[in-house]
Coordinates of all heavy atoms in Angstrom, one line a residue:
M1 N 196.5 -38.4 -4.2 CA 197.7 -37.8 -3.7 C 198.9 -38.3 -4.4 O 199.0 -39.6 -4.7 CB 197.8 -38.1 -2.1 CG 199.1 -37.8 -1.5 SD 199.2 -38.2 0.2 CE 197.8 -37.4 0.9
G2 N 199.9 -37.5 -4.6 CA 201.1 -38.0 -5.3 C 202.2 -38.4 -4.3 O 202.2 -37.9 -3.1
S3 N 203.0 -39.3 -4.7 CA 204.1 -39.7 -3.8 C 205.1 -38.6 -3.4 O 205.8 -38.7 -2.4 CB 204.9 -41.0 -4.3 OG 205.5 -40.6 -5.5
A4 N 205.2 -37.6 -4.2 CA 206.1 -36.5 -4.0 C 205.4 -35.3 -3.2 O 205.9 -34.2 -3.1 CB 206.7 -35.9 -5.3
E5 N 204.1 -35.6 -2.8 CA 203.3 -34.6 -2.0 C 204.1 -34.2 -0.8 O 204.6 -35.0 -0.1 CB 202.0 -35.2 -1.6 CG 201.3 -34.5 -0.6 CD 200.8 -33.2 -1.0 OE1 200.2 -33.1 -2.1 OE2 200.9 -32.2 -0.2
T6 N 204.2 -32.9 -0.6 CA 204.9 -32.4 0.6 C 204.3 -32.9 1.9 O 205.1 -33.2 2.8 CB 204.8 -30.8 0.6 OG1 205.3 -30.3 -0.6 CG2 205.6 -30.2 1.7
F7 N 203.0 -33.1 1.9 CA 202.3 -33.5 3.2 C 201.9 -35.0 3.0 O 200.9 -35.4 3.6 CB 201.2 -32.6 3.5 CG 201.6 -31.2 3.8 CD1 201.4 -30.2 2.9 CD2 202.3 -30.9 5.0 CE1 201.8 -28.9 3.1 CE2 202.7 -29.6 5.2 CZ 202.5 -28.6 4.3
R8 N 202.6 -35.8 2.2 CA 202.2 -37.2 2.0 C 202.1 -38.0 3.3 O 201.1 -38.6 3.6 CB 203.1 -37.9 1.0 CG 202.7 -39.3 0.8 CD 203.8 -40.1 0.2 NE 204.9 -40.2 1.2 CZ 206.2 -40.1 0.9 NH1 206.6 -39.9 -0.3 NH2 207.1 -40.2 1.9
D9 N 203.1 -37.9 4.1 CA 203.1 -38.6 5.4 C 201.9 -38.2 6.3 O 201.3 -39.1 7.0 CB 204.4 -38.5 6.1 CG 205.6 -39.1 5.4 OD1 205.3 -39.9 4.4 OD2 206.7 -38.7 5.7
E10 N 201.6 -36.9 6.3 CA 200.5 -36.5 7.2 C 199.2 -37.0 6.6 O 198.3 -37.3 7.3 CB 200.5 -35.0 7.2 CG 201.6 -34.4 8.1 CD 203.0 -34.2 7.3 OE1 203.1 -34.7 6.2 OE2 203.9 -33.6 7.9
G11 N 199.1 -37.0 5.3 CA 197.8 -37.5 4.6 C 197.6 -38.9 4.9 O 196.5 -39.4 5.2
V12 N 198.7 -39.7 4.8 CA 198.6 -41.1 5.1 C 198.2 -41.4 6.6 O 197.3 -42.2 6.9 CB 199.9 -41.9 4.8 CG1 199.9 -43.3 5.3 CG2 200.1 -41.8 3.3
A13 N 198.8 -40.6 7.5 CA 198.6 -40.7 8.9 C 197.1 -40.4 9.2 O 196.4 -41.0 10.0 CB 199.5 -39.9 9.7
Y14 N 196.6 -39.4 8.6 CA 195.2 -38.9 8.7 C 194.2 -40.0 8.3 O 193.3 -40.3 9.0 CB 194.9 -37.6 8.0 CG 193.6 -37.0 8.2 CD1 193.2 -36.6 9.5 CD2 192.7 -36.8 7.1 CE1 191.9 -36.1 9.7 CE2 191.5 -36.3 7.3 CZ 191.1 -35.9 8.6 OH 189.9 -35.3 8.8
A15 N 194.5 -40.6 7.1 CA 193.6 -41.7 6.6 C 193.7 -42.9 7.6 O 192.7 -43.5 7.9 CB 194.0 -42.1 5.3
D16 N 194.9 -43.2 8.1 CA 195.0 -44.3 9.0 C 194.3 -44.0 10.4 O 193.6 -44.9 10.9 CB 196.5 -44.5 9.4 CG 197.3 -45.1 8.3 OD1 196.6 -45.7 7.3 OD2 198.5 -45.2 8.3
A17 N 194.3 -42.8 10.8 CA 193.6 -42.4 12.1 C 192.1 -42.5 11.9 O 191.4 -43.0 12.8 CB 194.0 -40.9 12.5
I18 N 191.6 -42.1 10.7 CA 190.2 -42.3 10.5 C 189.8 -43.8 10.5 O 188.8 -44.1 11.2 CB 189.8 -41.7 9.1 CG1 189.9 -40.1 9.2 CG2 188.4 -42.1 8.7 CD1 189.8 -39.5 7.8
R19 N 190.6 -44.6 9.9 CA 190.3 -46.0 9.9 C 190.4 -46.6 11.3 O 189.6 -47.4 11.7 CB 191.3 -46.8 9.0 CG 191.1 -46.5 7.5 CD 192.0 -47.3 6.6 NE 192.1 -46.7 5.3 CZ 193.2 -46.1 4.8 NH1 194.3 -46.1 5.5 NH2 193.1 -45.7 3.6
W20 N 191.5 -46.2 12.0 CA 191.6 -46.7 13.4 C 190.4 -46.3 14.3 O 190.1 -47.0 15.2 CB 192.9 -46.2 14.0 CG 194.1 -47.1 13.6 CD1 195.0 -46.8 12.7 CD2 194.4 -48.4 14.2 NE1 195.9 -47.8 12.6 CE2 195.6 -48.8 13.5 CE3 193.9 -49.2 15.1 CZ2 196.2 -50.0 13.7 CZ3 194.5 -50.4 15.4 CH2 195.6 -50.8 14.7
A21 N 189.8 -45.2 14.0 CA 188.7 -44.7 14.8 C 187.3 -45.4 14.3 O 186.3 -45.0 14.9 CB 188.6 -43.2 14.7
G22 N 187.4 -46.2 13.3 CA 186.3 -47.0 12.9 C 185.6 -46.3 11.7 O 184.6 -46.8 11.2
G23 N 186.2 -45.3 11.1 CA 185.6 -44.6 10.0 C 186.1 -45.3 8.7 O 186.9 -46.2 8.7
R24 N 185.6 -44.7 7.6 CA 186.1 -45.2 6.3 C 186.9 -44.1 5.6 O 186.5 -43.0 5.6 CB 184.8 -45.5 5.5 CG 184.0 -46.6 6.0 CD 182.8 -46.9 5.1 NE 183.3 -47.4 3.9 CZ 182.6 -48.1 3.0 NH1 181.4 -48.4 3.3 NH2 183.1 -48.4 1.9
A25 N 188.0 -44.5 5.2 CA 188.9 -43.6 4.4 C 189.5 -44.4 3.2 O 189.9 -45.5 3.3 CB 190.0 -43.1 5.3
E26 N 189.5 -43.7 2.1 CA 190.0 -44.2 0.9 C 191.2 -43.3 0.5 O 190.9 -42.1 0.2 CB 189.0 -44.3 -0.2 CG 189.4 -45.0 -1.4 CD 188.3 -45.2 -2.4 OE1 187.1 -45.3 -1.9 OE2 188.5 -45.2 -3.6
L27 N 192.4 -43.8 0.4 CA 193.5 -43.0 0.0 C 194.2 -43.7 -1.2 O 194.5 -44.9 -1.1 CB 194.5 -42.9 1.2 CG 195.8 -42.1 1.0 CD1 195.5 -40.6 0.7 CD2 196.7 -42.2 2.2
H28 N 194.5 -42.9 -2.2 CA 195.3 -43.4 -3.3 C 196.5 -42.5 -3.5 O 196.4 -41.3 -3.7 CB 194.4 -43.3 -4.6 CG 193.2 -44.1 -4.5 ND1 193.1 -45.4 -5.0 CD2 192.0 -43.8 -4.0 CE1 191.9 -45.8 -4.8 NE2 191.2 -44.9 -4.2
V29 N 197.7 -43.2 -3.3 CA 199.0 -42.5 -3.5 C 199.5 -42.9 -4.8 O 199.8 -44.1 -5.1 CB 200.0 -42.8 -2.4 CG1 201.3 -42.1 -2.6 CG2 199.4 -42.4 -1.1
R30 N 199.6 -41.9 -5.8 CA 200.1 -42.2 -7.1 C 201.6 -42.0 -7.2 O 202.1 -41.0 -6.6 CB 199.4 -41.3 -8.1 CG 197.9 -41.5 -8.2 CD 197.2 -40.5 -8.9 NE 195.8 -40.7 -9.0 CZ 195.1 -41.4 -9.9 NH1 195.8 -42.0 -10.9 NH2 193.9 -41.6 -9.9
P31 N 202.3 -42.9 -7.8 CA 203.8 -42.7 -7.9 C 204.2 -41.5 -8.7 O 203.9 -41.3 -9.8 CB 204.3 -44.0 -8.5 CG 203.1 -44.6 -9.2 CD 201.9 -44.1 -8.5
G32 N 205.0 -40.6 -8.0 CA 205.6 -39.5 -8.7 C 205.1 -38.1 -8.5 O 205.8 -37.2 -8.4
P33 N 203.8 -37.9 -8.6 CA 203.3 -36.5 -8.6 C 203.6 -35.7 -7.4 O 203.7 -36.3 -6.3 CB 201.8 -36.7 -8.8 CG 201.6 -38.0 -9.3 CD 202.7 -38.9 -8.8
F34 N 203.6 -34.4 -7.5 CA 203.8 -33.4 -6.5 C 202.5 -32.8 -6.1 O 201.5 -33.0 -6.7 CB 204.8 -32.4 -6.9 CG 204.4 -31.8 -8.3 CD1 203.6 -30.7 -8.3 CD2 204.8 -32.3 -9.5 CE1 203.2 -30.1 -9.5 CE2 204.5 -31.8 -10.7 CZ 203.6 -30.6 -10.7
H35 N 202.5 -32.0 -5.1 CA 201.3 -31.3 -4.7 C 200.7 -30.4 -5.7 O 201.3 -29.7 -6.4 CB 201.6 -30.3 -3.4 CG 200.4 -29.7 -2.9 ND1 199.6 -30.3 -2.0 CD2 199.9 -28.4 -3.1 CE1 198.6 -29.5 -1.7 NE2 198.8 -28.3 -2.3
G36 N 199.4 -30.6 -5.9 CA 198.7 -29.8 -7.0 C 198.8 -30.4 -8.4 O 198.4 -29.7 -9.3
F37 N 199.3 -31.6 -8.6 CA 199.6 -32.1 -9.9 C 198.3 -32.1 -10.7 O 198.3 -31.9 -12.0 CB 200.3 -33.5 -9.9 CG 199.3 -34.6 -9.5 CD1 198.7 -35.3 -10.5 CD2 199.1 -34.9 -8.1 CE1 197.8 -36.4 -10.1 CE2 198.3 -35.9 -7.8 CZ 197.6 -36.7 -8.8
A38 N 197.2 -32.4 -10.1 CA 195.9 -32.5 -10.9 C 195.5 -31.1 -11.5 O 194.7 -31.1 -12.4 CB 194.8 -33.1 -10.0
T39 N 196.1 -30.1 -11.0 CA 195.7 -28.8 -11.6 C 196.4 -28.5 -12.9 O 196.0 -27.5 -13.6 CB 196.0 -27.6 -10.6 OG1 197.4 -27.6 -10.4 CG2 195.2 -27.8 -9.3
Y40 N 197.3 -29.3 -13.3 CA 198.0 -29.2 -14.5 C 197.4 -30.0 -15.7 O 198.1 -30.4 -16.6 CB 199.5 -29.5 -14.4 CG 200.2 -28.6 -13.4 CD1 200.3 -28.8 -12.1 CD2 200.7 -27.4 -13.9 CE1 200.8 -27.9 -11.2 CE2 201.2 -26.5 -13.1 CZ 201.3 -26.7 -11.8 OH 201.9 -25.8 -11.0
A41 N 196.1 -30.2 -15.7 CA 195.5 -31.1 -16.7 C 195.6 -30.4 -18.1 O 195.7 -31.1 -19.1 CB 194.0 -31.2 -16.4
A42 N 195.8 -29.1 -18.1 CA 196.0 -28.4 -19.4 C 197.3 -28.9 -20.1 O 197.5 -28.8 -21.3 CB 196.0 -27.0 -19.2
S43 N 198.2 -29.5 -19.3 CA 199.5 -29.9 -19.9 C 199.3 -31.2 -20.8 O 200.2 -31.5 -21.5 CB 200.5 -30.2 -18.7 OG 200.1 -31.4 -18.0
G44 N 198.1 -31.8 -20.5 CA 197.8 -33.0 -21.4 C 198.3 -34.3 -20.8 O 198.1 -35.4 -21.4
A45 N 199.0 -34.2 -19.6 CA 199.5 -35.5 -19.0 C 198.3 -36.3 -18.6 O 197.4 -35.8 -18.0 CB 200.4 -35.1 -17.8
A46 N 198.4 -37.6 -18.9 CA 197.3 -38.5 -18.6 C 197.0 -38.5 -17.1 O 195.9 -38.6 -16.7 CB 197.6 -39.9 -19.1
L47 N 198.0 -38.5 -16.3 CA 197.8 -38.6 -14.9 C 197.0 -37.3 -14.3 O 196.2 -37.5 -13.5 CB 199.2 -38.7 -14.1 CG 199.2 -38.8 -12.6 CD1 198.4 -40.1 -12.2 CD2 200.6 -38.8 -12.1
S48 N 197.3 -36.2 -14.9 CA 196.7 -35.0 -14.5 C 195.2 -35.0 -14.9 O 194.3 -34.4 -14.3 CB 197.3 -33.7 -15.1 OG 198.6 -33.6 -14.6
R49 N 194.8 -35.7 -16.0 CA 193.5 -35.9 -16.4 C 192.8 -37.0 -15.6 O 191.6 -36.8 -15.2 CB 193.3 -36.2 -17.9 CG 193.7 -35.0 -18.8 CD 193.3 -35.4 -20.3 NE 193.7 -36.8 -20.6 CZ 194.9 -37.1 -21.2 NH1 195.8 -36.2 -21.4 NH2 195.2 -38.4 -21.5
D50 N 193.5 -38.1 -15.4 CA 192.8 -39.2 -14.8 C 192.6 -39.1 -13.2 O 191.5 -39.5 -12.8 CB 193.7 -40.5 -14.9 CG 193.9 -40.9 -16.4 OD1 193.0 -40.4 -17.2 OD2 194.8 -41.7 -16.7
A51 N 193.4 -38.4 -12.6 CA 193.2 -38.2 -11.1 C 191.9 -37.5 -10.7 O 191.2 -38.0 -9.9 CB 194.5 -37.5 -10.5
P52 N 191.6 -36.4 -11.3 CA 190.3 -35.7 -11.0 C 189.1 -36.6 -11.4 O 188.1 -36.6 -10.7 CB 190.4 -34.4 -11.8 CG 191.8 -34.2 -12.1 CD 192.4 -35.5 -12.2
E53 N 189.2 -37.3 -12.5 CA 188.1 -38.2 -12.9 C 187.9 -39.3 -11.9 O 186.8 -39.6 -11.5 CB 188.4 -38.7 -14.3 CG 188.3 -37.7 -15.4 CD 188.8 -38.2 -16.8 OE1 189.1 -39.4 -16.9 OE2 188.9 -37.3 -17.7
A54 N 189.0 -39.9 -11.4 CA 188.9 -41.0 -10.4 C 188.4 -40.4 -9.1 O 187.5 -41.0 -8.5 CB 190.3 -41.6 -10.2
R55 N 188.8 -39.2 -8.7 CA 188.3 -38.6 -7.5 C 186.8 -38.3 -7.6 O 186.0 -38.6 -6.7 CB 189.0 -37.2 -7.3 CG 188.5 -36.5 -6.1 CD 188.8 -35.0 -6.2 NE 188.2 -34.4 -7.4 CZ 188.7 -33.5 -8.1 NH1 189.9 -32.9 -7.8 NH2 188.1 -33.0 -9.2
D56 N 186.4 -37.8 -8.8 CA 184.9 -37.5 -9.0 C 184.1 -38.8 -8.9 O 183.0 -38.8 -8.3 CB 184.7 -36.8 -10.3 CG 185.3 -35.4 -10.3 OD1 185.8 -35.0 -9.3 OD2 185.3 -34.9 -11.4
R57 N 184.6 -39.9 -9.5 CA 183.9 -41.2 -9.4 C 183.8 -41.6 -8.0 O 182.7 -42.1 -7.5 CB 184.6 -42.2 -10.2 CG 184.4 -42.1 -11.7 CD 184.8 -43.4 -12.5 NE 186.3 -43.7 -12.2 CZ 187.3 -43.2 -12.8 NH1 187.1 -42.3 -13.8 NH2 188.5 -43.6 -12.6
R58 N 184.8 -41.5 -7.2 CA 184.8 -41.9 -5.8 C 183.8 -41.0 -5.0 O 183.0 -41.5 -4.2 CB 186.2 -41.8 -5.1 CG 187.1 -42.9 -5.6 CD 188.4 -43.0 -4.8 NE 189.2 -41.8 -4.8 CZ 190.1 -41.5 -5.8 NH1 190.3 -42.4 -6.8 NH2 190.8 -40.4 -5.8
L59 N 183.8 -39.7 -5.2 CA 182.9 -38.8 -4.5 C 181.4 -39.2 -4.8 O 180.6 -39.3 -3.9 CB 183.1 -37.4 -4.9 CG 184.4 -36.7 -4.2 CD1 184.6 -35.3 -4.9 CD2 184.2 -36.6 -2.8
R60 N 181.1 -39.5 -6.1 CA 179.8 -39.9 -6.4 C 179.4 -41.2 -5.7 O 178.3 -41.3 -5.3 CB 179.6 -40.0 -7.9 CG 179.6 -38.7 -8.6 CD 179.4 -38.8 -10.2 NE 179.6 -37.5 -10.8 CZ 180.7 -37.1 -11.4 NH1 181.8 -37.9 -11.5 NH2 180.8 -35.9 -12.0
R61 N 180.3 -42.1 -5.7 CA 180.0 -43.4 -5.1 C 179.7 -43.2 -3.6 O 178.8 -43.7 -3.0 CB 181.2 -44.4 -5.3 CG 180.9 -45.8 -4.9 CD 182.1 -46.7 -5.2 NE 183.2 -46.3 -4.4 CZ 184.4 -46.0 -4.9 NH1 184.6 -46.0 -6.2 NH2 185.4 -45.8 -4.2
V62 N 180.6 -42.4 -2.9 CA 180.4 -42.2 -1.5 C 179.1 -41.5 -1.2 O 178.4 -41.8 -0.2 CB 181.6 -41.4 -0.9 CG1 181.4 -40.9 0.5 CG2 182.9 -42.3 -1.0
V63 N 178.8 -40.4 -2.0 CA 177.6 -39.7 -1.7 C 176.4 -40.5 -1.9 O 175.5 -40.5 -1.2 CB 177.5 -38.4 -2.6 CG1 176.2 -37.7 -2.5 CG2 178.7 -37.5 -2.2
A64 N 176.4 -41.4 -3.0 CA 175.3 -42.2 -3.3 C 175.1 -43.2 -2.2 O 174.0 -43.6 -1.8 CB 175.5 -43.0 -4.6
R65 N 176.2 -43.8 -1.6 CA 176.1 -44.7 -0.5 C 175.6 -44.1 0.8 O 175.1 -44.8 1.6 CB 177.5 -45.3 -0.4 CG 177.5 -46.6 0.4 CD 178.9 -47.3 0.4 NE 180.0 -46.3 0.6 CZ 181.2 -46.4 -0.1 NH1 181.3 -47.4 -1.0 NH2 182.1 -45.6 0.1
S66 N 175.9 -42.8 0.9 CA 175.5 -42.1 2.2 C 174.0 -42.0 2.4 O 173.5 -41.7 3.5 CB 176.2 -40.7 2.2 OG 175.5 -39.8 1.4
G67 N 173.3 -42.1 1.3 CA 171.8 -42.0 1.4 C 171.4 -40.6 1.7 O 170.3 -40.4 2.3
S68 N 172.1 -39.6 1.3 CA 171.8 -38.2 1.6 C 170.6 -37.7 0.9 O 170.0 -36.7 1.2 CB 173.0 -37.3 1.3 OG 173.2 -37.3 -0.1
G69 N 170.1 -38.5 -0.1 CA 169.0 -38.2 -0.8 C 169.1 -37.1 -1.9 O 168.2 -36.8 -2.6
G70 N 170.3 -36.4 -1.9 CA 170.4 -35.4 -2.9 C 171.4 -35.7 -4.0 O 171.5 -34.9 -4.9
G71 N 172.1 -36.8 -3.9 CA 173.1 -37.1 -4.9 C 174.3 -36.2 -4.9 O 174.4 -35.3 -4.1
P72 N 175.2 -36.3 -5.9 CA 176.4 -35.5 -5.9 C 176.1 -34.0 -6.1 O 176.8 -33.2 -5.6 CB 177.1 -36.0 -7.2 CG 176.5 -37.4 -7.4 CD 175.1 -37.3 -6.9
G73 N 175.0 -33.6 -6.8 CA 174.7 -32.2 -7.0 C 174.5 -31.5 -5.6 O 174.9 -30.4 -5.4
R74 N 173.7 -32.2 -4.8 CA 173.5 -31.6 -3.4 C 174.8 -31.4 -2.6 O 175.0 -30.4 -2.1 CB 172.5 -32.5 -2.7 CG 172.3 -32.0 -1.3 CD 171.2 -32.9 -0.6 NE 171.0 -32.4 0.8 CZ 170.3 -33.1 1.6 NH1 169.7 -34.2 1.3 NH2 170.2 -32.6 2.9
W75 N 175.7 -32.4 -2.7 CA 177.0 -32.3 -2.0 C 177.7 -31.1 -2.6 O 178.3 -30.3 -1.9 CB 177.8 -33.6 -2.2 CG 179.1 -33.5 -1.5 CD1 179.4 -33.7 -0.2 CD2 180.3 -33.0 -2.1 NE1 180.7 -33.5 0.0 CE2 181.3 -33.1 -1.1 CE3 180.7 -32.7 -3.4 CZ2 182.6 -32.7 -1.4 CZ3 182.0 -32.3 -3.6 CH2 182.9 -32.3 -2.7
A76 N 177.8 -31.0 -3.9 CA 178.5 -30.0 -4.6 C 178.1 -28.6 -4.2 O 178.9 -27.7 -4.0 CB 178.5 -30.2 -6.1
R77 N 176.8 -28.4 -4.1 CA 176.3 -27.1 -3.7 C 176.6 -26.8 -2.3 O 176.9 -25.6 -2.0 CB 174.7 -27.0 -3.9 CG 174.3 -27.0 -5.4 CD 172.8 -26.7 -5.5 NE 172.0 -27.7 -4.9 CZ 171.7 -28.9 -5.5 NH1 172.1 -29.1 -6.7 NH2 170.9 -29.7 -4.9
R78 N 176.6 -27.7 -1.4 CA 176.8 -27.5 0.0 C 178.3 -27.3 0.2 O 178.7 -26.5 1.1 CB 176.3 -28.7 0.7 CG 175.7 -28.4 2.0 CD 175.2 -29.6 2.8 NE 176.0 -30.8 2.7 CZ 175.6 -32.0 2.3 NH1 174.3 -32.2 2.0 NH2 176.4 -33.0 2.3
A79 N 179.2 -28.1 -0.4 CA 180.6 -28.1 -0.1 C 181.5 -27.5 -1.2 O 182.7 -27.5 -1.0 CB 181.0 -29.5 0.3
G80 N 181.0 -27.0 -2.2 CA 181.8 -26.5 -3.3 C 182.5 -27.6 -4.0 O 183.5 -27.3 -4.6
G81 N 182.0 -28.8 -4.0 CA 182.6 -29.9 -4.7 C 182.3 -30.1 -6.1 O 181.8 -29.1 -6.7
V82 N 182.5 -31.2 -6.6 CA 182.3 -31.6 -8.0 C 180.8 -31.9 -8.3 O 180.3 -32.7 -7.5 CB 183.3 -32.7 -8.4 CG1 183.1 -33.1 -9.9 CG2 184.7 -32.3 -8.1
T83 N 180.3 -31.5 -9.4 CA 178.9 -31.9 -9.7 C 179.0 -33.0 -10.7 O 179.9 -33.2 -11.4 CB 178.1 -30.7 -10.3 OG1 178.8 -30.2 -11.4 CG2 177.9 -29.6 -9.3

Protein backbone atom coordinates (compact mmCIF):
# COMPACT_ATOMS: atom_id res chain seq x y z
CA MET A 1 0.00 0.00 0.00
CA GLY A 2 1.27 3.46 -0.76
CA SER A 3 1.24 6.33 1.71
CA ALA A 4 -0.86 8.38 -0.73
CA GLU A 5 -3.47 5.58 -0.94
CA THR A 6 -6.96 7.04 -0.71
CA PHE A 7 -7.98 4.35 1.79
CA ARG A 8 -4.66 4.12 3.63
CA ASP A 9 -6.15 4.85 7.07
CA GLU A 10 -8.87 2.25 6.54
CA GLY A 11 -6.29 -0.32 5.42
CA VAL A 12 -4.14 0.33 8.48
CA ALA A 13 -7.21 0.12 10.75
CA TYR A 14 -8.24 -3.18 9.13
CA ALA A 15 -4.80 -4.71 9.65
CA ASP A 16 -4.81 -3.48 13.26
CA ALA A 17 -8.27 -5.00 13.85
CA ILE A 18 -7.08 -8.36 12.53
CA ARG A 19 -4.10 -8.24 14.89
CA TRP A 20 -6.25 -7.19 17.87
CA ALA A 21 -8.55 -10.13 17.16
CA GLY A 22 -5.57 -12.48 17.40
CA GLY A 23 -5.06 -12.90 13.67
CA ARG A 24 -1.95 -12.32 11.62
CA ALA A 25 -1.73 -9.33 9.34
CA GLU A 26 1.26 -8.03 7.44
CA LEU A 27 1.00 -4.50 6.11
CA HIS A 28 3.64 -2.57 4.21
CA VAL A 29 3.07 1.14 3.60
CA ARG A 30 5.49 2.44 1.01
CA PRO A 31 6.30 6.16 1.07
CA GLY A 32 4.69 8.09 -1.75
CA PRO A 33 2.66 5.82 -4.02
CA PHE A 34 -1.03 6.28 -4.78
CA HIS A 35 -3.82 3.72 -5.24
CA GLY A 36 -3.02 1.26 -7.99
CA PHE A 37 0.65 2.27 -8.31
CA ALA A 38 1.75 -1.32 -8.87
CA THR A 39 -0.27 -1.49 -12.10
CA TYR A 40 2.11 0.99 -13.67
CA ALA A 41 5.00 -1.47 -13.91
CA ALA A 42 5.23 -0.72 -17.61
CA SER A 43 6.48 2.73 -16.66
CA GLY A 44 9.70 1.09 -15.54
CA ALA A 45 9.61 2.59 -12.05
CA ALA A 46 11.45 0.30 -9.64
CA LEU A 47 8.73 0.65 -7.01
CA SER A 48 6.06 -0.47 -9.47
CA ARG A 49 8.11 -3.59 -10.26
CA ASP A 50 9.24 -4.35 -6.71
CA ALA A 51 5.87 -4.11 -4.94
CA PRO A 52 4.15 -6.96 -6.85
CA GLU A 53 7.25 -9.14 -6.49
CA ALA A 54 7.32 -8.53 -2.73
CA ARG A 55 3.57 -9.26 -2.52
CA ASP A 56 4.02 -12.51 -4.42
CA ARG A 57 6.84 -13.62 -2.10
CA ARG A 58 4.66 -12.91 0.95
CA LEU A 59 1.70 -14.81 -0.54
CA ARG A 60 3.87 -17.83 -1.26
CA ARG A 61 5.28 -17.74 2.27
CA VAL A 62 1.82 -17.49 3.87
CA VAL A 63 0.34 -20.23 1.71
CA ALA A 64 3.30 -22.53 2.40
CA ARG A 65 2.95 -21.88 6.13
CA SER A 66 -0.80 -22.57 6.06
CA GLY A 67 -0.22 -26.22 5.23
CA SER A 68 -2.97 -26.16 2.61
CA GLY A 69 -1.15 -28.90 0.75
CA GLY A 70 -1.59 -27.23 -2.58
CA GLY A 71 1.04 -24.53 -2.54
CA PRO A 72 0.63 -21.17 -4.28
CA GLY A 73 -0.82 -22.71 -7.43
CA ARG A 74 -3.81 -24.10 -5.55
CA TRP A 75 -4.46 -20.72 -3.92
CA ALA A 76 -4.17 -18.96 -7.26
CA ARG A 77 -6.71 -21.23 -8.96
CA ARG A 78 -9.14 -20.82 -6.09
CA ALA A 79 -8.84 -17.09 -5.50
CA GLY A 80 -7.60 -15.69 -8.79
CA GLY A 81 -4.28 -14.84 -7.19
CA VAL A 82 -0.69 -15.06 -8.28
CA THR A 83 0.84 -18.34 -9.39
